[in-house]
Amino acid sequence: MTSSARGGLKLDDQLCFALYAATNAVVRAYRPLLGELGLTYPQYLVMLALWQDGGMPVHDLARRLQLGPSAITPLVDKLEAAGFVARGRTSDRRLVLVALTEAGRALEDKVSVAQQSVVCRTGLSDRDLSALRQDLKDLTDRIAVFGAMPEDEPR
């Protein structure tokens, strides 16, 4: 008797698999569009943060993208080599500031076209897309709070 016949774990019933598959589908939709502009999907996320929030220290960028600082550094390295961002020191020499270059700012309009193309491919209305995004943000927040509980506390 298989595990599914006994009521065990089923792949298609897993939230994590549905999120994983949806994420992969979205990234695959972005990949060729961003590739034409010289960006990978993770680099696109860095650029989005900079377009929205402006230049910031590397550690703030990492926090904004919910990544470790060691994951940000190679992304910034490649974006800097491509001429989209520049790094500099602040008055606090320990902080490395990442800021858009003119070429990085100019890229925003082109990336916007790619983003709209992917949104269109979802087939979701603006309202449904907004609701889905909010549900995912809420899920992330709930899991983050739950995950922050001490190990010895009952769940």
Side-chain angles (χ1 to χ4, degrees):
M1 189 184 251
T2 66
S3 136
S4 61
R6 292 189 312 263
L9 295 174
K10 298 175 187 163
L11 179 64
D12 293 335
D13 292 343
Q14 302 304 306
L15 172 64
C16 59
F17 180 67
L19 290 169
Y20 176 78
T23 297
N24 282 336
V26 169
V27 171
R28 279 192 308 271
Y30 270 106
R31 189 173 290 129
L33 302 171
L34 294 174
E36 291 176 11
L37 302 172
L39 293 174
T40 64
Y41 184 76
Q43 292 168 350
Y44 163 68
L45 297 179
V46 170
M47 295 299 289
L48 282 172
L50 294 172
W51 287 323
Q52 180 178 332
D53 302 334
M56 66 184 84
V58 171
H59 70 274
D60 289 347
L61 186 56
R63 189 174 321 122
R64 179 76 169 99
L65 295 174
Q66 300 180 26
L67 295 170
S70 61
I72 293 295
T73 300
L75 298 173
V76 172
D77 287 345
K78 295 208 181 207
L79 289 168
E80 188 172 38
F84 298 137
V85 302
R87 279 185 270 218
R89 298 279 178 185
T90 64
S91 57
D92 180 346
R93 302 282 301 153
R94 297 169 295 174
L95 294 180
V96 176
L97 185 71
V98 179
L100 293 166
T101 62
E102 197 58 45
R105 282 188 286 281
L107 191 61
E108 186 176 10
D109 288 339
K110 295 175 185 171
V111 170
S112 180
V113 172
Q115 187 269 341
Q116 285 301 313
S117 174
V118 173
V119 166
C120 195
R121 288 180 66 181
T122 69
L124 295 170
S125 68
D126 288 345
R127 187 169 141 192
D128 289 343
L129 188 62
S130 180
L132 175 59
R133 193 172 33 250
Q134 189 59 54
D135 286 346
L136 292 171
K137 287 177 185 176
D138 292 347
L139 175 63
T140 300
D141 291 346
R142 284 193 303 275
I143 289 175
V145 168
F146 185 75
M149 292 176 64
E151 290 299 319
D152 56 350
E153 206 170 301
R155 295 187 179 179

